Amino acid sequence: MTVTKQLPPVKIYFENLNAIRFIAALLVIIFHTEKFKLFLNVPDYSGNRVVSIIGSLGVVLFFVLSGFLISFLLFKEQEITKTISIKDFYIRRILRIWPLYFLIVILALFIIPFINFFTITGFERNIVYDNLIYKLLLYVFFLPNMVLALFAFIPYASQLWSIGAEEQFYLVWPFLNKKINNKWLLLSGVIFIYLIIKFYVPFFIPSGVYRDVFVQFWESMPIDCMAIGGLFALIIYETSPFTLFIRKILFNKLFQWIILILTVSLIYLGIHFPYFQYEVYSVLFGILICNFAANKNRIFSMENSTTNFLGKISYGLYMFHPIAIVFSIKLLRKFHLLSNYILYPVILILVIVMSALSYEFFEKKFLNKKLKYSKLISGDSVKD
């Protein structure tokens, strides 16, 4: 009897992705710090043109990065194994996303509302607990973006909306990649269909609350941004004359500088693009991700032990930061030390400590189990 030897998983590591993850998390933290200052009646900069835009763009950067990496890994798995294991994909995503997601749900709904120190005027326990069963069901079924569309803001769980959007993307992405061989058709088709629904379906819904809920929910599920990330993954993955030509343009040093300066300038000026805000920035972010991740001739690198560590715990940074922000504001205000020069370092130190402890003593237990279901090893697992 012939025994088939199982080959070890293929290792894939893109440089600088951890640094980009941290930058995305930092943008969201700055935005939410100013928003929570507003809620807590502290002088804030939430109306500043830069602050007003960086929160959503930090999340868009996460979406593009996620679409880039997940798509590339699916392309590679299909190449190596001639198929995509849907079951293994979902198990890996469950082990990465669910533990911390449900921990935050439990904290935000069943623990923090009973701690007076964390109470925010206008978002008291009775507000959080209004329609609690419906909210809880939506969180359990990974529709937190629908919670925002239907009900009041829940301070310590509001960040979960983007996790829901990613989970909704993951729900269909491995199936589509497995069934559709023409990846260009798949990715461009997803972007096209998403935008058609975004712009035309609302016209067929009677004006009022139903249209408003649909528009808010659909805009909170920008899977086209993730598909744009997937397009750039395809440019990096394929070696056809067309993709080699595109890479030659994208990897040109002058072009890199132009895109970097343009992106930073647009954000600094707080530029909004009507109708295609997320899509324009997604393309710019995709170009930058391609270069930082896969271009050996990149204009500079952010790859180092510090950014790798901060990127490794970035999921925790994103999930725990509202708790760290409110705790820091209230504590510093109590001791009359509420200055941005003190507040921001305290928030960052606190959320980094919380996230590092969470990663080491909670998340890592689940992450280690992912290897059993992986044909490919990527990210920090390559270095561990």
Side-chain angles (χ1 to χ4, degrees), residues 78 176-184 186 238:
Q78 197 166 33
L176 292 175
N177 274 277
K178 186 174 183 177
K179 298 297 182 182
I180 301 175
N181 291 324
N182 188 329
K183 306 305 182 188
W184 292 103
L186 166 61
E238 280 196 351

Side-chain angles (χ1 to χ4, degrees), residues 297-312:
N297 197 33
R298 62 181 73 90
I299 51 179
F300 63 87
S301 177
M302 300 179 286
E303 183 80 5
N304 58 66
S305 58
T306 301
T307 56
N308 280 335
F309 169 73
L310 293 172
K312 183 169 68 173

Side-chain angles (χ1 to χ4, degrees), residues 44-292:
D44 67 276
Y45 294 94
S46 60
N48 177 276
R49 62 189 182 187
V50 180
V51 173
S52 67
I53 199 173
I54 59 174
S56 60
L57 293 186
V59 177
V60 169
L61 182 53
F62 270 127
F63 286 156
V64 178
L65 180 56
S66 178
F68 173 86
L69 185 57
I70 292 296
S71 298
F72 187 93
L73 294 176
L74 288 175
F75 300 158
K76 200 68 178 177
E77 179 181 345
Q78 197 166 33
E79 173 196 328
I80 293 169
T81 67
K82 308 307 178 186
T83 187
I84 292 173
S85 174
I86 305 295
K87 183 192 76 171
D88 288 352
F89 176 87
Y90 285 139
I91 292 174
R92 292 195 302 270
R93 291 295 87 202
I94 287 170
L95 290 170
R96 183 64 188 108
I97 301 296
W98 287 24
L100 194 49
Y101 174 89
F102 283 112
L103 175 62
I104 295 297
V105 170
I106 292 168
L107 288 173
L109 294 182
F110 301 110
I111 297 177
I112 292 178
F114 294 92
I115 303 175
N116 291 332
F117 184 80
F118 285 100
T119 299
I120 299 173
T121 303
F123 304 100
E124 294 86 356
R125 189 193 316 161
N126 63 310
I127 301 297
V128 173
Y129 274 30
D130 186 38
N131 293 301
L132 179 62
I133 297 299
Y134 295 109
K135 292 175 183 176
L136 185 58
L137 286 172
L138 290 172
Y139 281 124
V140 167
F141 289 103
F142 287 93
L143 290 166
N145 39 0
M146 185 61 81
V147 175
L148 283 181
L150 290 174
F151 304 111
F153 167 76
I154 299 177
Y156 303 99
S158 61
Q159 72 277 24
L160 298 182
W161 75 267
S162 63
I163 308 302
E166 289 212 23
E167 290 293 274
Q168 290 147 25
F169 174 72
Y170 298 150
L171 190 63
V172 299
W173 205 231
F175 284 103
L176 292 175
N177 274 277
K178 186 174 183 177
K179 298 297 182 182
I180 301 175
N181 291 324
N182 188 329
K183 306 305 182 188
W184 292 103
L185 177 64
L186 166 61
L187 291 158
S188 58
V190 167
I191 296 167
F192 178 75
I193 292 170
Y194 176 87
L195 292 174
I196 288 294
I197 293 172
K198 175 181 177 180
F199 291 122
Y200 290 102
V201 168
F203 288 110
F204 298 97
I205 303 175
S207 60
V209 65
Y210 293 109
R211 181 190 290 180
D212 293 342
V213 168
F214 172 82
V215 169
Q216 187 171 347
F217 172 73
W218 195 250
E219 290 185 349
S220 71
M221 191 180 63
I223 58 175
D224 60 332
C225 297
M226 300 176 221
I228 289 171
L231 276 176
F232 283 100
L234 191 56
I235 291 171
I236 297 302
Y237 172 76
E238 280 196 351
T239 55
S240 66
F242 173 72
T243 53
L244 291 175
F245 173 72
I246 296 297
R247 286 211 294 270
K248 186 176 181 180
I249 297 173
L250 295 184
F251 286 2
N252 178 273
K253 277 200 170 183
L254 177 60
F255 186 74
Q256 292 179 61
W257 277 115
I258 290 172
I259 295 299
L260 179 61
I261 293 170
L262 175 63
T263 304
V264 172
S265 299
L266 290 173
I267 295 172
Y268 177 75
L269 294 172
I271 300 298
H272 291 260
F273 294 94
Y275 308 113
F276 294 101
Q277 168 85 344
Y278 290 171
E279 290 75 20
V280 171
Y281 280 104
S282 291
V283 171
L284 295 173
F285 290 154
I287 295 171
L288 293 174
I289 288 170
C290 274
N291 279 286
F292 281 114

